[in-house]
Amino acid sequence: MIVKAALCENARNPPPCLSVNEDIYCPIMDSVLGKKALAKAEKLLKDSGMTLDEVGQKMGYPAATARASVWQLFNKVKDPRLSSLESLAKALGVTVKDLL
């Protein structure tokens, strides 16, 4: 796997986007792409049969806040951070690329 810093149209200030095996991942998501990724993740969540609590805990949230944190990600966040999508994808057993 080749990981290197890359520049894209969203890269205004550090941190730069990352190029992983020639796929560019940008930490600054626009709201359209973010909504698309969350919609795919929500479908995967429903298909998985996991609860918000289970996904939140797999994402690393404490049990006391896991459900609320994932609910907020799906319902309040319009432009999720790349790190949130990475955690969500891992919890759902897919890659970020699968969500995009």
Side-chain angles (χ1 to χ4, degrees):
M1 175 184 299
I2 300 170
V3 178
K4 61 183 178 180
L7 293 178
C8 74
E9 64 275 2
N10 290 327
R12 296 180 201 111
N13 297 310
C17 299
L18 296 178
S19 173
V20 180
N21 293 334
E22 308 213 6
D23 292 324
I24 293 180
Y25 298 101
C26 185
I28 303 167
M29 305 280 293
D30 67 23
S31 63
V32 173
L33 188 57
K35 286 178 186 176
K36 179 181 173 185
L38 290 174
K40 283 186 179 180
E42 191 168 11
K43 183 181 180 332
L44 288 169
L45 173 61
K46 287 178 183 175
D47 293 346
S48 76
M50 285 190 283
T51 65
L52 293 178
D53 279 324
E54 292 168 331
V55 171
Q57 288 180 38
K58 283 186 174 190
M59 289 177 69
Y61 292 110
T65 61
R67 182 183 185 286
S69 298
V70 177
W71 183 91
Q72 185 170 3
L73 178 62
F74 281 120
N75 295 288
K76 297 291 182 182
V77 175
K78 293 181 180 152
D79 55 344
R81 292 177 179 253
L82 178 58
S83 59
S84 296
L85 289 180
E86 288 171 333
S87 297
L88 181 58
K90 185 176 179 181
L92 294 171
V94 298
T95 66
V96 172
K97 189 174 180 178
D98 294 330
L99 298 179
L100 301 176

